[in-house]
């Protein structure tokens, strides 16, 4: 017999047993003639039964004799007897007349002692008007179980009787509650005791729980304590009864996802394609929701899931019943697949918790490789709001003012695009400002705008702005133009023709601009005194991220995945080592995640060190060798970097720190007559690129990112520096020649 | 003193017997050249200006009046690039002129096999696509390969895998034309032709067509091989188009850009192309015994022989191929003898000679040749000379207790380097 059928039988047997026990105890106390045990016991006593039958006949005869005497004599006889019984030793009754119209029958010693009848009495009385006999127990009264039916007359209740009744009723009430507990199942009681349990009650059991809570009059109180609004509770109850389509839509709505019925899936059941919102704090854009056919055994569903072709999309499987939970969960817990199982309890949580998104994220983090959903974006402009940290003061400068022109200058991978995208996101749906992001790929700004608006390439800028204004619907226009270096380079060579048009548009208040770029933009804005861009707009220098934001970037996304640092100082150390560069912090954290073992959730110093020494980090640190289109300028840049690296490796031997003067002296020593202005520009470029920084009141030049030094091997820096100096000497002599 | 005689039409190096590389008859070169020129309607003047020789020389080649000089393998290779030849066609053209193949020969698949079921995808290809599809929000990757790997390696398997994953109508293969001309119209017209777009001759029109494809449901895969070749201005435009489409259609455009040294320079030195900045770098994995066995197909090679070829070649694809041939011809030959023969393999000489010819380079290279390991390996090597040796596929990054270090791939390569350096020293003396 299986466990299931045993428990089902017990479910029925239990109340039957309780009822039987209650009946037995109750009848023994109040209706012994109905009590099977007492009845059985009495029926086993044949002698007493036989005597009782004889006593009954004798009683009838004696009664009729007394009645006849009264009718004949017209007065009630002084004594009564059983006709025909002369030997008192054979008599079952001793009969006397206690009062007029009454006859008292007392059981003789002929009855066995154990019957309890000896000496007990019954009193029969005739009503002279109606001539109807009545019977009542005498003193002492025979046992209730042996008292004839017509002699069981009620008597006024004594105090003992009342107290006994109260006691019995209390017992019955307790028994009733006990029965209720068993019938209503422990869940209701446990939920009342701990309201949070209701959030993880199996989905399929919610209607029953709801009914029982209703019986116990605890529903509202419990929902209040659990923090579940009634409307959400009702939705959850409706969800249980809904069809697959409505279920998918309701669950998707709870996380602001879009659900579309998917076809062409061989899986038995229903599949929906979900597009997840950008606000989801993990990197997952979409998933497949699978609601299996509930009639299929769990093993069959797992087999079919295993047979799915290896895709890159996550499949979220909704367990159709508690019976399916274990097998589906075990399959989903295997990190080798991309299946996630929402068991019955999780589905309830999804519907009842204030944030269903948290439920989904926890589920994904538990059952998938964390790298699959890592929220860290290590390349390109950050597109997900949850992956963008800090820059609050810069954002406030742009967002909380009237639209104006801005020049956003900073090195590569420092977050210019991320900041512009954050600005675009914040202005989304703004009542007064319409913001538009545009990434240039060459100098042709107007053609780019035209292509974006799907207008002919030769459309004049006025018409383009008119088209943009029409699209903005009366709101003020702010155009965010990214990657403007090639544009600025071209403009510098062509008298800033396009830039003058932009300036005119902004002066007319028709459109404002934020231009983002690196060296060419910086050069035009800061170093070219003839450039019309000098007063074009406010210059925003983009450097490292704020320290707190760096720490938040290092800890918060990890925490969402259930990962944390063993030591609270590690995130601070990470921020310092990465020079507060957001992309490096993100890469380090991503590397940490990639090397975490399954179920490991702690990041120790050794693991962090490994991440900082990883190839991905080295890859991100490369790419500084050609910051300018001018090859000579690049050579000077490289020489400065090698010189600082040389000083870094010699730091232990108390080598003199690098200063502008020492750098000039180095060039002189190498026989290179370098103009101080070229060196100053080079330093400015490397500072803007966040390769070098000045410290000690701007006197000493050091690496902006301490980790940057790790890409130079002590032994090779001298050789590289020597070769670059020689090459620069040749190049400059060639120019002079 | 050993003299280097590269003028032997059979590709022999003096004093060394080179393995048989299935050299095609020399007389095929004019026909092949003419056929490939006709295919893209290239003129002799066009070819001549692209590869830096006279128009008459090209005409002489085409008419069979002369063959490329032994020193002009690079010209023939440039010609193959200009004519947009595939790896197999390039190898055939080089072989027909008496040169070594540039790319390892991929295992050919029988038509029956392609029509009935897709052959098993090499693990490296499948892993590469897995990683590409996981990149967010920009699925853009650079596949950097050292010399003598195909562009891309395992091209057929890659395209088959792409079609299996994305659907055949969602796979584009862009091979930028080899042209130094700055004209955008011919560049983008050629790309549009490869994509099957009609009436496209500007960058904007090309971008609009790609955008149209991206508006259809499902991701679009774009394989770009030899990205670094061609005019820089057009290349930058193409990069910009792919970058802005990646932005506009987040996660929809999957791009795999294949290249070698020049592509690495573009990414790590420049940083101007934000497409490359947002791209993840991927390296083609080192050869395995299974790969070597597959290279030998249709000939069956036992694992021990494949392992020996792999060890002798240090994972260099052409040396592995040559090693297989040598082992097939004389399996009982000692390792030392085989190393000596492999050290004379022409591609090694072609890689070493230009570097060692410069006296300033010879000293550091000679010092490195004496060392078991040269320098720490990094994604981008700062030393240009070391970088050049690496991209010529003479060096390999191998893991040690203190990290990844650059080493000479194999003893044959070190032998070749020492031999050439000595020869040049002697010649100068």
């Amino acid at each position: 017999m299986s466990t299931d059928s045993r428990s089902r039988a017990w479910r029925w047997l239990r109340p039957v047993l309780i009822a039987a026990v209650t009946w037995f105890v109750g009848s023994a106390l109040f209706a012994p003639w109905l009590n099977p045990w007492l009845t059985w016991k009495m029926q086993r006593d044949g002698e007493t039964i036989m005597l009782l039958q004889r006593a009954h006949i004798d009683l009838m005869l004696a009664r009729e004799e007394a009645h006849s005497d009264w009718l004949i004599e017209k007065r009630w006889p002084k004594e009564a007897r059983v006709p025909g019984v002369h030997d008192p030793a054979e008599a079952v009754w001793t009969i006397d007349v206690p009062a007029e119209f009454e006859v008292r029958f007392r059981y003789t010693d002929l009855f066995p002692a154990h019957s309890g009848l000896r000496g007990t009495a019954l009193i029969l009385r005739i009503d002279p008007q109606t001539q109807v006999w009545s019977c009542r127990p005498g003193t002492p009264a025979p046992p209730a179980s042996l008292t004839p039916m017509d002699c069981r007359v009620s008597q006024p209740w004594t105090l003992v009787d009342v107290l006994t009744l109260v006691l019995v009723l209390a017992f019955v009430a307790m028994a009733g509650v006990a029965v209720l507990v068993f019938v209503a199942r422990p869940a209701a009681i446990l939920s009342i005791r701990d309201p949070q349990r209701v959030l993880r009650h199996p989905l399929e059991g919610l209607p029953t729980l709801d009914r029982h809570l209703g019986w116990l009059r605890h529903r509202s109180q419990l929902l209040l304590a659990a923090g579940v609004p009634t409307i959400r509770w009702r939705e959850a109850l409706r969800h249980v009864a809904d069809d697959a389509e409505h279920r998918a839509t309701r669950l998707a709505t709870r996380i602001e996802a879009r659900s579309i019925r998917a076809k062409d899936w061989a899986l038995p059941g229903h599949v929906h394609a979900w597009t997840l919102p950008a606000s989801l704090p993990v990197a997952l854009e979409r998933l497949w929701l699978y609601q299996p056919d509930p009639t299929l055994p769990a093993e069959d569903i797992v087999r079919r899931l295993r047979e799915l072709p290896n895709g890159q999309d996550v499949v979220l499987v909704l367990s159709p019943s508690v019976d399916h939970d274990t097998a589906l969960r075990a399959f989903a817990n295997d990190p080798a697949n991309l299946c996630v199982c929402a068991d019955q309890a999780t589905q309830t949580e999804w519907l009842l918790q204030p944030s269903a998104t948290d439920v989904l994220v926890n589920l994904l983090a538990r059952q998938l490789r964390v790298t699959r959903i890592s929220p860290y974006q290590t390349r390109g402009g950050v597109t997900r709001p949850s992956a963008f940290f800090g820059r609050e003061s810069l954002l406030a400068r742009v967002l909380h003012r009237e639209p104006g022109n801005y020049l956003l200058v900073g090195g590569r991978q420092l977050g210019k695009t991320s900041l512009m995208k954050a600005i675009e996101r914040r202005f989304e749906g703004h009542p007064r400002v319409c913001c538009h992001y545009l990434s240039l790929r060459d100098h042709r700004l107007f053609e780019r705008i035209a292509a974006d608006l799907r207008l002919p390439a030769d459309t004049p800028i006025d018409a383009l702005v008119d088209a943009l204004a029409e699209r903005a619907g009366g709101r003020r226009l702010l155009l965010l133009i990214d990657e403007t270096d090639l544009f600025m380079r071209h403009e510098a060579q062509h008298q800033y023709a396009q830039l003058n048009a932009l300036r005119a548009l902004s002066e007319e208040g028709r459109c404002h601009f934020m231009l983002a770029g690196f060296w060419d933009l910086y050069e035009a804005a800061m170093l070219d005194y003839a450039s019309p861009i000098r007063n074009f707009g406010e210059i925003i220098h983009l450097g490292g991220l704020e320290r707190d934001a760096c720490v938040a970037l290092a800890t918060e996304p990890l925490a969402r995945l259930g990962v944390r640092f063993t030591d609270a100082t590690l995130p601070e150390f990470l921020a310092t080592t990465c020079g507060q560069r957001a992309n490096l912090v993100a890469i380090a954290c991503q590397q940490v995640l990639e090397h975490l073992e399954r179920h490991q959730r702690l990041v120790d110093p050794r693991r962090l060190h490994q991440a900082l020494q990883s190839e991905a980090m080295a890859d991100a640190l490369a790419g500084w060798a050609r910051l300018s289109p001018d090859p000579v300028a690049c050579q000077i840049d490289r020489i400065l970097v090698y010189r600082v690296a040389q000083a870094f490796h010699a730091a232990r031997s108390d080598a003199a720190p690098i200063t502008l003067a020492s750098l000039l002296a180095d060039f002189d020593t190498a026989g290179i007559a370098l103009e101080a202005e070229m060196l100053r520009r080079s330093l400015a470029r490397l500072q803007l690129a966040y390769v070098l920084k000045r410290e000690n009141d701007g006197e000493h030049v050091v690496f902006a990112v301490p980790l940057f030094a790790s890409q130079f091997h002590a032994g090779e820096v001298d050789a590289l520096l020597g070769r670059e100096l020689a090459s620069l000497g040749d190049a400059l002599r060639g120019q002079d020649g | 003193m050993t003299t280097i005689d590269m003028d032997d039409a059979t590709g022999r190096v003096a004093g060394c017997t080179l393995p048989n590389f299935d050299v095609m008859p020399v007389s095929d070169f004019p026909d092949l050249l003419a056929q490939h020129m006709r295919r893209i309607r290239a003129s002799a003047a066009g070819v001549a200006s692209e590869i830096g020789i006279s128009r008459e020389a090209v005409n002489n080649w085409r008419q069979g009046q002369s063959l490329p000089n032994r020193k002009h393998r690079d010209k023939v290779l440039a010609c193959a690039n200009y004519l947009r030849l595939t790896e197999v066609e390039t190898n055939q053209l080089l072989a027909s002129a008496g040169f070594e193949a540039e790319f390892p020969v991929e295992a050919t698949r029988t038509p029956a096999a392609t029509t009935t079921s897709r052959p098993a995808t090499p693990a490296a290809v499948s892993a590469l696509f897995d990683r590409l599809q996981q990149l967010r929000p920009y699925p853009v990757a650079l596949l950097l390969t050292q010399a003598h790997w195909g562009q891309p390696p395992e091209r057929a398997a890659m395209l088959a895998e792409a079609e299996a994953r994305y659907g055949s109508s969602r796979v584009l293969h862009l091979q930028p034309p080899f042209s130094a001309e700055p004209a955008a119209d011919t560049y983008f017209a050629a790309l549009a032709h490869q994509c099957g777009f009609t009436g496209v001759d500007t960058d904007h029109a090309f971008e609009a067509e790609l955008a149209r494809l991206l508006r259809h449901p499902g991701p679009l895969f774009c394989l770009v091989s030899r990205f670094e070749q061609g005019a820089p201005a057009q290349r930058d435009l193409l990069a910009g188009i792919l970058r802005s489409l990646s932005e506009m259609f987040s996660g929809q455009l999957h791009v795999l850009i294949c290249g070698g040294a020049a592509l690495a320079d573009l990414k790590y030195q420049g940083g101007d192309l934000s497409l490359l900045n947002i791209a993840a770098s991927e390296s083609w994995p080192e050869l395995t015994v299974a790969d070597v066995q597959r290279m030998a197909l249709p000939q069956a090679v036992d694992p021990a022989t494949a392992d020996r070829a792999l060890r002798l070649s240090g994972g260099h694809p052409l040396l592995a191929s040559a090693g297989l041939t040598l082992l097939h011809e004389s399996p009982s030959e000692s390792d030392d003898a085989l190393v000596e023969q492999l050290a004379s393999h022409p591609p090694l000489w072609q890689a070493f000679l230009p570097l060692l010819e410069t006296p300033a380079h010879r000293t550091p290279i000679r010092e490195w040749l004496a060392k078991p390991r040269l320098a720490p390996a990094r994604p981008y090597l700062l030393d240009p000379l070391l970088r050049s040796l690496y991209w010529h596929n003479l060096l390999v990054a191998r893991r040690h207790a203190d990290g990844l270090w650059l080493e000479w791939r194999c003893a044959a390569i070190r032998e070749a380097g020492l031999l050439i350096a000595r020869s040049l020293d002697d010649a100068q003396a």
Side-chain angles (χ1 to χ4, degrees):
Chain A
M1 197 181 197
S2 73
T3 313
D4 283 354
S5 55
R6 266 203 301 271
S7 75
R8 213 172 298 129
W10 175 243
R11 212 157 43 222
W12 288 107
L13 194 59
R14 197 165 48 182
V16 171
L17 277 176
I18 290 166
V21 170
T22 309
W23 170 256
F24 187 82
V25 175
S27 64
L29 287 171
F30 304 104
W33 59 93
L34 297 176
N35 186 283
W37 163 249
L38 294 176
T39 313
W40 174 79
K41 206 172 133 192
M42 194 186 75
Q43 283 168 356
R44 291 279 304 265
D45 189 359
E47 185 185 359
T48 305
I49 290 171
M50 193 189 71
L51 288 170
L52 276 174
Q53 283 172 353
R54 202 178 126 198
H56 181 65
I57 295 163
D58 288 357
L59 182 141
M60 299 298 287
L61 290 172
R63 193 181 74 175
E64 287 310 310
E65 186 74 15
H67 190 190
S68 302
D69 282 358
W70 175 63
L71 290 175
I72 296 164
E73 302 292 334
K74 302 296 182 193
R75 63 182 177 88
W76 191 252
K78 297 283 183 202
E79 59 179 16
R81 59 185 176 85
V82 179
V85 176
H86 305 290
D87 184 3
E90 290 298 315
V92 291
W93 294 111
T94 308
I95 306 168
D96 64 337
V97 178
E100 195 179 14
F101 303 117
E102 284 187 352
V103 180
R104 179 162 52 204
F105 294 85
R106 194 175 297 278
Y107 291 103
T108 63
D109 291 348
L110 211 58
F111 283 87
H114 64 81
S115 68
L117 288 170
R118 284 185 184 176
T120 60
L122 296 172
I123 297 171
L124 271 69
R125 180 183 173 79
I126 189 167
D127 185 342
Q129 299 297 319
T130 60
Q131 297 187 18
V132 173
W133 287 91
S134 63
C135 177
R136 70 173 192 274
T139 306
S145 57
L146 299 178
T147 305
M149 290 291 283
D150 51 350
C151 291
R152 288 173 192 152
V153 291
S154 58
Q155 289 174 350
W157 282 38
T158 63
L159 183 62
V160 174
D161 292 338
V162 171
L163 286 176
T164 307
L165 180 68
V166 168
L167 197 68
V168 168
L169 285 179
F171 178 78
V172 170
M174 278 176 63
V177 170
V179 170
L180 192 65
V181 167
F182 279 107
V183 173
R185 316 287 299 258
I189 305 302
L190 293 172
S191 297
I192 291 167
R193 208 180 293 163
D194 177 11
Q196 293 301 315
R197 289 180 69 104
V198 78
L199 300 176
R200 287 202 50 85
H201 190 77
L203 182 67
E204 63 184 355
L206 279 192
T208 313
L209 179 66
D210 178 70
R211 202 166 52 245
H212 296 157
L213 289 173
W215 291 345
L216 296 172
R217 304 277 172 199
H218 262 85
R219 187 190 294 122
S220 307
Q221 196 183 337
L222 180 131
L223 294 181
L224 192 67
V228 179
T230 314
I231 190 163
R232 208 185 292 154
W233 177 255
R234 286 191 191 135
E235 277 287 299
L237 293 173
R238 259 199 294 275
H239 183 85
V240 181
D242 265 342
D243 59 12
E245 190 65 39
H246 285 96
R247 280 183 179 218
T249 309
R250 183 175 287 106
L251 291 175
T253 309
R254 292 277 296 136
I255 57 166
E256 296 173 27
R258 268 189 309 120
S259 175
I260 297 170
R261 177 81 184 271
K263 292 169 187 168
D264 305 329
W265 279 72
L267 292 168
H270 302 268
V271 180
H272 288 80
W274 277 12
T275 308
L276 301 171
S279 56
L280 195 73
V282 291
L284 192 65
E285 292 79 28
R286 61 178 191 165
L287 57 77
W288 298 103
L289 178 81
Y290 174 42
Q291 301 180 72
D293 181 348
T295 58
L296 279 182
E299 292 71 23
D300 207 3
I301 297 172
V302 169
R303 185 178 55 78
R304 285 164 188 268
L305 286 170
R306 279 190 208 284
E307 285 167 1
L308 279 182
N310 285 338
Q312 291 299 314
D313 287 323
V314 171
V315 180
L316 172 62
V317 185
L318 298 184
S319 170
S321 75
V322 175
D323 296 341
H324 290 78
D325 277 356
T326 312
L328 289 178
R329 236 184 351 238
F331 173 67
N333 277 335
D334 179 0
N337 62 52
L338 286 174
C339 274
V340 176
C341 166
D343 58 18
Q344 285 278 308
T346 307
Q347 290 174 53
T348 304
E349 260 194 305
W350 192 307
L351 293 162
L352 297 183
Q353 284 276 22
S355 169
T357 302
D358 289 348
V359 176
L360 175 63
V361 170
N362 288 338
L363 190 67
L364 296 171
R366 276 202 312 272
Q367 297 186 359
L368 291 176
R369 282 183 207 278
V370 280
T371 46
R372 176 64 185 82
I373 52 166
S374 166
Y376 289 106
Q377 189 185 322
T378 55
R379 291 184 183 83
V382 170
T383 53
R384 303 180 77 86
S386 57
F388 183 81
F389 285 80
R391 309 282 191 209
E392 290 305 325
S393 60
L394 288 183
L395 282 169
R397 265 166 80 176
V398 179
L399 299 173
H400 300 154
R401 288 189 197 168
E402 287 297 305
N405 292 335
Y406 300 93
L407 303 175
L408 182 60
V409 291
R412 292 164 191 141
Q413 302 290 309
L414 269 172
K416 297 187 295 294
T417 305
S418 299
L419 183 66
M420 291 179 114
K421 285 181 175 291
I423 291 170
E424 191 188 27
R425 276 196 302 273
R426 308 271 173 113
F427 273 130
E428 219 167 63
H430 196 279
R432 286 180 294 111
V433 179
C434 175
C435 190
H436 192 68
Y437 172 85
L438 197 70
S439 179
L440 283 186
R441 56 169 188 255
D442 57 13
H443 63 277
R444 295 170 298 172
L445 171 63
F446 298 163
E447 284 91 330
R448 188 80 192 87
I449 300 174
D452 216 44
L453 294 169
R454 298 195 199 175
L455 291 172
D458 54 356
T459 309
I461 184 65
D462 281 325
L464 293 174
V465 172
D466 286 343
L468 282 169
E470 194 181 339
R471 199 185 269 191
R475 292 177 294 167
R476 302 180 71 169
L477 269 174
L478 175 62
L479 214 52
L480 309 175
I481 306 172
D482 204 357
E483 309 277 352
T484 60
D485 281 311
L486 289 175
F487 167 74
M488 294 308 303
R489 203 178 300 169
H490 182 267
E491 284 294 285
Q493 292 160 1
H494 295 85
Q495 291 76 47
Y496 296 101
Q498 294 183 90
L499 203 59
N500 283 328
L502 300 189
R503 178 195 284 275
L505 285 168
S506 66
E507 281 171 359
E508 290 167 21
R510 294 171 65 193
C511 187
H512 291 91
F513 304 90
M514 175 182 269
L515 307 180
F518 173 50
W519 181 244
D520 291 280
L521 179 62
Y522 178 85
E523 206 173 22
M526 303 292 289
L527 306 177
D528 182 358
Y529 294 97
S531 163
I533 206 167
R534 278 188 70 81
N535 300 314
F536 179 75
E538 186 180 341
I539 296 176
I540 299 175
H541 283 264
L542 204 64
L545 201 62
E546 302 88 341
R547 192 168 189 78
D548 289 347
C550 270
V551 172
L553 173 62
T555 53
E556 287 177 17
L558 287 181
R560 283 182 211 132
L561 301 174
V563 178
R564 61 187 174 83
F565 289 94
T566 52
D567 186 342
T569 60
L570 286 180
E572 295 274 350
F573 166 76
L574 176 61
T576 307
T577 311
C578 294
Q580 295 176 216
R581 279 191 72 148
N583 70 322
L584 298 183
V585 173
I587 288 169
C589 292
Q590 176 68 18
Q591 288 299 306
V592 162
L593 287 177
E594 282 183 13
H595 293 99
L596 273 185
E597 280 148 31
R598 182 85 175 140
H599 299 308
Q600 191 175 13
R601 290 292 183 264
L602 285 178
V603 182
D604 56 20
R606 186 184 59 86
R607 209 163 284 282
L608 183 61
H609 182 74
Q610 277 177 349
L612 290 171
Q613 299 300 321
S614 62
E615 261 188 76
M617 190 61 91
D619 190 272
L621 290 169
W624 52 271
R626 205 173 64 197
L627 299 174
S628 161
D630 176 7
V632 173
C634 292
Q635 276 188 311
I636 300 169
D637 290 352
R638 288 197 291 271
I639 288 168
L640 297 194
V641 171
Y642 293 148
R643 189 67 194 87
V644 174
Q646 208 177 32
F648 177 87
H649 286 297
R652 287 185 195 144
S653 58
D654 292 333
I658 301 291
T659 62
L660 186 67
S662 73
L663 286 169
L664 277 170
D666 288 342
F667 282 106
D668 291 343
T669 310
I672 298 168
L674 188 71
E675 289 174 26
E677 177 58 18
M678 287 182 81
L679 185 63
R680 203 178 62 77
R681 280 186 175 235
S682 183
L683 266 178
R685 189 164 44 246
L686 289 165
Q687 279 178 253
L688 187 68
Y690 214 66
V691 173
L692 300 180
K693 70 174 180 182
R694 303 276 197 113
E695 60 179 24
N696 199 20
D697 287 336
E699 195 187 345
H700 298 162
V701 180
V702 294
F703 284 128
V705 177
L707 198 59
F708 199 82
S710 67
Q711 63 182 311
F712 303 103
H713 195 245
E716 65 188 357
V717 176
D718 295 346
L720 288 169
L721 180 61
R723 215 172 290 168
E724 284 293 354
L725 281 168
S727 171
L728 178 66
D730 292 346
L732 290 178
R733 275 189 288 278
Q735 277 183 1
D736 292 344
Chain B
M1 187 178 80
T2 310
T3 56
I4 302 167
D5 177 10
M6 296 292 285
D7 288 341
D8 186 336
T10 58
R12 285 166 185 266
V13 175
C16 301
T17 309
L18 287 183
N20 176 14
F21 293 106
D22 297 332
V23 174
M24 290 180 68
V26 171
S27 58
D28 280 355
F29 180 75
D31 293 342
L32 280 176
L33 180 64
Q35 177 191 324
H36 293 316
M37 285 175 67
R38 265 200 311 277
R39 189 168 67 184
I40 66 159
R41 296 178 187 175
S43 66
V47 172
S49 69
E50 288 297 340
I51 66 174
I53 59 170
S54 67
R55 187 164 55 106
E56 290 71 27
V58 174
N59 274 330
N60 288 342
W61 287 357
R62 192 165 53 167
Q63 289 155 13
Q65 290 169 2
S66 69
L67 283 174
N69 187 289
R70 298 305 307 154
K71 293 175 185 169
H72 287 167
R73 182 178 179 277
D74 58 332
K75 304 285 185 196
V76 178
L77 191 59
C79 178
N81 282 335
Y82 175 65
L83 297 173
R84 300 175 213 153
L85 305 192
T86 64
E87 274 81 16
V88 174
E89 289 168 341
T90 303
N91 282 351
Q92 283 175 345
L93 188 72
L94 285 167
S96 69
F99 295 114
E100 295 307 322
E102 175 68 7
F103 305 106
V105 180
E106 290 178 14
T108 50
R109 298 183 169 94
T110 61
T114 51
T115 51
T116 52
S117 64
R118 199 160 71 87
T121 309
V125 172
S126 152
L128 179 69
F129 274 88
D130 282 349
R131 288 194 295 274
L132 174 70
Q133 292 188 317
Q134 282 183 22
L135 293 174
R136 280 177 193 80
Y138 309 111
V140 182
L142 299 185
L143 178 60
L144 299 171
T145 45
Q146 291 171 286
H148 307 300
W149 279 112
Q151 293 291 354
E154 300 280 4
R155 175 208 297 259
M158 268 203 203
L159 288 172
E161 181 69 6
E163 287 183 6
R165 291 188 184 226
Y166 299 90
S168 52
S169 63
R170 307 293 290 166
V171 173
L172 301 178
H173 186 184
L174 302 182
Q175 298 175 82
F178 182 87
S179 168
E181 285 178 30
D185 51 351
T186 50
Y187 186 91
F188 284 100
L191 290 182
H193 179 70
Q194 291 164 12
C195 298
F197 303 153
T198 50
V200 171
D201 57 0
T202 65
D203 54 330
H204 284 299
F206 182 70
E207 182 176 11
E209 280 297 303
L210 282 179
R212 185 181 59 77
L213 283 184
L214 283 163
R215 279 187 205 101
H216 294 178
L220 181 72
F221 174 73
C222 196
L223 175 67
V224 187
S225 49
R226 306 180 193 174
F227 171 75
E228 67 268 34
Q229 73 182 22
Q234 315 317 332
R235 178 193 65 208
D236 293 357
L237 273 179
L238 174 62
I241 288 171
L242 295 175
R243 166 78 160 94
S244 55
L245 289 174
S246 292
E247 286 278 357
M248 274 170 67
F249 300 91
S250 183
Q252 284 291 95
L253 180 59
H254 294 211
V255 184
L256 181 62
I257 306 171
C258 305
L263 183 58
D265 283 348
L266 278 175
K267 175 174 170 65
Y268 293 109
Q269 275 206 345
D272 281 336
L273 296 180
S274 57
L275 175 73
L276 305 186
N277 290 339
I278 64 168
S281 299
E282 292 282 345
S283 301
W284 190 247
E286 287 293 309
L287 276 182
T288 62
V289 170
D291 292 332
V292 176
Q293 283 180 299
R294 210 153 45 85
M295 278 169 75
L297 288 174
Q299 198 175 20
V301 171
D302 62 281
T305 308
D307 185 49
R308 196 171 168 212
L310 185 63
R311 182 167 47 78
L312 289 169
S313 66
H316 189 294
L318 291 188
L319 284 187
S321 182
L324 279 174
T325 312
L326 288 174
L327 287 169
H328 178 66
E329 286 171 354
S330 44
S332 56
E333 197 82 84
S334 71
D335 278 1
D336 289 343
L338 290 171
V339 164
E340 195 181 333
Q341 290 190 59
L342 286 175
S344 311
H345 198 48
L348 298 185
W349 291 67
Q350 284 150 12
F352 265 124
L353 255 178
L355 297 172
L356 288 167
E357 270 174 350
T358 312
H361 291 165
R362 212 177 302 156
T363 312
I365 292 177
R366 198 195 290 280
E367 283 171 14
W368 285 330
L369 282 167
K371 289 181 180 176
R373 54 187 210 178
L374 283 68
R378 298 211 176 79
Y380 189 70
L381 298 166
L382 295 169
D383 189 320
L385 190 55
L386 209 53
R387 208 160 59 219
S388 185
L389 290 169
Y390 175 79
W391 288 114
H392 274 102
N393 211 351
L394 302 174
L395 305 180
V396 63
R398 291 199 177 117
R399 189 162 292 283
H400 291 258
D402 53 348
L404 279 172
W405 282 78
L406 289 176
E407 293 175 6
W408 296 105
R409 271 199 177 274
C410 58
I413 288 176
R414 285 174 82 173
E415 283 291 318
L418 290 167
L419 184 66
I420 296 166
R422 266 200 306 273
S423 308
L424 289 168
D425 287 346
D426 293 346
Q428 277 184 353

